[in-house]
Amino acid sequence: MSQPIVIVGSGLAGYAVARELRRLTTDKAVVMITADHGGFYSKPMLSNALSTGKTPESIINGDAEKMAAQLDITIHSHTRVEAVDTSNQSIELSNGERLSYSALVMAIGADQVRLPLQGSGVSKILTINDVDDYKYFRDVLADKKRVAIIGAGLIGCEFANDLSATGYQVDVIDISPQPLGRLLPPEAGAYLQKKLEAVGVNFHFNMTVESVDQSDTMMQLKLTNGEKVDTDIVLSSVGLTPRINLAKKAGLLVNRGIVVNQLLQTSDENIFALGDCAEVEGKVLPFVMPITHAARALAATLAGKPTPVVYPAMPVLVKTPACPTVVAPPESGHAGEWRVESNGEGVKAVFQNNSGNLLGFALLGQATAMKNELATKLPPILN
Amino acid sequence: MLIPFKLTAHSNSSAEKSMGYVLPENQTGQYYQMKKYQCNICGFIYDELLGDPAHGIAAGTRWEDIPESWSCPECGVNKADFEMVEI
């Protein structure tokens, strides 16, 4: 009897592979190993759950039992993979069991980066990386009024908008001079800043946090300019770092992420990786759409038809209702410049090379209506 | 029972449209309440009232009339990965 396909991780990537695989074949055994409860939910929904009236419980679409039945797979919840024995094609689990695999899929995601900070409140700094983190955050938030967010990237801006729109006092601190510093040219950043400020978000730019202290009644952040921010909860959202340790320990090639080729195959031919943990042909893309494309290709490969993943242009929707925003950042290292048009209703920023080819864009406010038209002119990310 | 309809510019007041109701084509007086469907994966909401014109789905297209080949404009998943949400 052939060994099962083993998927490590029950996030969007893990479930997407299981779902796509079941569309193609029902006769392959699939086992999912997950460190958490194993329920299926949409992680992007966490950052606007307050505004949309969702609770951590209502975000979970199906628990492990329901998902296992629905997809005809076996799920081991609250179980970690401790080690991978590539020569014997087996894994060692935290419960002491060993499991053989015909193919192993690493869909283990990324960790939130934690800044090295000083102060008595550092251990109280929260990060939100999964629904359990989010549940804890909502429990803590229940009797509080103020939240300080370190990092004005995608996640920081989305949570800032969601909290501010639902009545919390929100401070956001970032080292860069604007929100979404890596994605938006300055004029677009200024527009987003203005719109978020209009719903009450209080930004502190060009600033880092020196210390986070905790007293009986509140938390206090000291910024590099000496400014003090009083708050109740500190949320850190300064970026993601792919989880590479398991792959590294197994002797697989890793770089920023787990290195895979266009077949999503690691340096071991029976082990694959996708999602936030993977570096596909040099690209680490921690977004939903790449997962959808990767899962389809990988499912076909696992079903017996080797299929390289192809990424079209994949604009990212920023869930900041105070300022609808879509970004398709140009690949780093590409020469070109931003051209920005703006009026009171929005900003259209396009990044072109000197031949006039569109390489990226950022659309804010009413300009988001041009998303589809512009997206068709972008080069594919991987083909 | 839901009955088929065709959304035309003149058939409904803007107030009716904004409430998510459109008159059926045969004008029998029975209303079809427009529904919204949310993507299970990324949270994108398909609103029957708005359609997805940029991808060939006209405003007013009912969920069941969208071809299976259509996919979520935000994350690319199939129609099967959506679910209906209450308005």
Side-chain angles (χ1 to χ4, degrees):
Chain A
M1 201 189 103
S2 74
Q3 302 299 341
I5 292 169
V6 175
I7 298 170
V8 190
S10 62
L12 282 178
Y15 269 117
V17 173
R19 191 184 299 110
E20 295 296 335
L21 189 62
R22 278 295 174 253
R23 290 205 168 109
L24 301 174
T25 173
T26 51
D27 62 7
K28 281 193 193 293
V30 175
V31 177
M32 181 180 275
I33 313 289
T34 176
D36 71 13
H37 50 84
F40 174 71
Y41 66 98
S42 166
K43 186 172 166 184
M45 287 185 200
L46 299 178
S47 55
N48 64 351
L50 285 166
S51 306
T52 54
K54 291 195 165 72
T55 63
E57 291 75 20
S58 73
I59 281 172
I60 297 180
N61 208 281
D63 61 16
E65 202 180 342
K66 179 183 156 190
M67 296 308 294
Q70 190 183 313
L71 294 167
D72 187 24
I73 63 176
T74 304
I75 301 178
H76 295 280
S77 303
H78 304 294
T79 307
R80 288 182 176 276
V81 176
E82 301 292 351
V84 182
D85 180 345
T86 55
S87 53
N88 286 312
Q89 289 184 230
S90 71
I91 53 174
E92 188 190 316
L93 305 181
S94 51
N95 60 14
E97 283 178 37
R98 266 187 178 279
L99 192 63
S100 293
Y101 61 83
S102 59
L104 182 68
V105 177
M106 292 188 176
I108 51 184
D111 286 312
Q112 293 265 355
V113 172
R114 295 204 78 119
L115 295 175
L117 292 170
Q118 306 292 314
S120 60
V122 169
S123 65
K124 293 281 202 282
I125 297 175
L126 303 182
T127 56
I128 299 173
N129 200 25
D130 56 43
V131 74
D132 288 339
D133 291 344
Y134 187 66
K135 181 170 172 19
Y136 182 75
F137 171 70
R138 287 285 289 264
D139 288 345
V140 177
L141 190 66
D143 58 347
K144 304 288 195 298
K145 286 274 169 279
R146 301 173 295 183
V147 181
I149 299 174
I150 306 174
L154 282 168
I155 306 297
C157 285
E158 291 183 356
F159 275 114
N161 195 157
D162 201 39
L163 288 159
S164 198
T166 48
Y168 295 91
Q169 182 190 316
V170 180
D171 287 274
V172 180
I173 301 100
D174 200 291
I175 192 168
S176 68
Q178 64 169 76
L180 303 187
R182 290 188 204 161
L183 300 171
L184 301 180
E187 300 93 323
Y191 185 84
L192 176 61
Q193 177 180 348
K194 197 180 71 187
K195 291 291 180 185
L196 288 174
E197 282 171 348
V199 295
V201 178
N202 191 14
F203 284 108
H204 309 263
F205 286 122
N206 299 306
M207 214 84 76
T208 54
V209 177
E210 248 171 21
S211 63
V212 177
D213 288 299
Q214 158 101 41
S215 73
D216 288 346
T217 53
M218 62 170 198
M219 296 182 79
Q220 189 178 64
L221 291 80
K222 279 197 198 76
L223 309 186
T224 36
N225 66 345
E227 193 185 342
K228 290 171 181 167
V229 176
D230 294 343
T231 190
D232 298 316
I233 297 175
V234 181
L235 196 59
S236 171
S237 58
V238 293
L240 292 170
T241 177
R243 291 178 176 145
I244 58 172
N245 284 347
L246 183 64
K248 200 172 167 181
K249 231 169 59 177
L252 305 179
L253 191 61
V254 296
N255 185 32
R256 275 190 302 151
I258 303 170
V259 171
V260 297
N261 60 22
Q262 223 169 329
L263 289 170
L264 288 324
Q265 191 175 41
T266 66
S267 52
D268 181 294
E269 62 175 354
N270 300 310
I271 304 180
F272 302 83
L274 81 163
D276 295 1
C277 67
E279 181 175 325
V280 185
E281 296 281 336
K283 296 171 211 298
V284 177
L285 300 167
F287 307 109
V288 180
M289 203 180 247
I291 290 176
T292 308
H293 289 281
R296 272 187 203 143
L298 181 53
T301 300
L302 295 173
K305 188 184 169 210
T307 304
V309 65
V310 170
Y311 290 144
M314 297 180 286
V316 177
L317 194 79
V318 187
K319 293 192 298 304
T320 44
C323 179
T325 299
V326 186
V327 292
E331 252 189 273
S332 62
H334 277 233
E337 60 180 304
W338 285 103
R339 288 162 187 277
V340 184
E341 293 166 37
S342 66
N343 57 31
E345 306 302 323
V347 178
K348 176 192 176 192
V350 294
F351 188 87
Q352 293 170 313
N353 63 13
N354 51 18
S355 320
N357 296 318
L358 186 69
L359 298 179
F361 63 71
L363 304 171
L364 293 81
Q366 282 187 358
T368 52
M370 281 177 280
K371 180 193 116 185
N372 296 312
E373 180 197 331
L374 288 177
T376 59
K377 294 176 185 156
L378 284 172
I381 292 175
L382 183 64
N383 65 0
Chain B
M1 193 191 84
L2 302 177
I3 44 178
F5 69 93
K6 191 177 278 177
L7 182 69
T8 51
H10 59 272
S11 66
N12 299 280
S13 73
S14 58
E16 282 166 338
K17 280 184 197 166
S18 69
M19 290 170 66
Y21 293 90
V22 285
L23 274 176
E25 191 180 31
N26 60 9
Q27 303 287 309
T28 57
Q30 191 169 359
Y31 286 77
Y32 170 78
Q33 181 163 11
M34 288 294 191
K35 295 192 191 70
K36 291 181 185 178
Y37 293 79
Q38 183 167 36
C39 177
N40 270 342
I41 312 297
C42 72
F44 170 81
I45 289 173
Y46 175 78
D47 184 338
E48 291 183 334
L49 197 64
L50 304 174
D52 180 17
H55 300 98
I57 308 296
T61 302
R62 287 202 331 204
W63 181 250
E64 63 202 58
D65 296 328
I66 296 176
E68 292 299 322
S69 59
W70 181 82
S71 60
C72 173
E74 303 303 345
C75 75
V77 301
N78 296 330
K79 193 180 164 188
D81 294 317
F82 275 63
E83 69 171 38
M84 190 168 77
V85 291
E86 299 296 323
I87 298 176

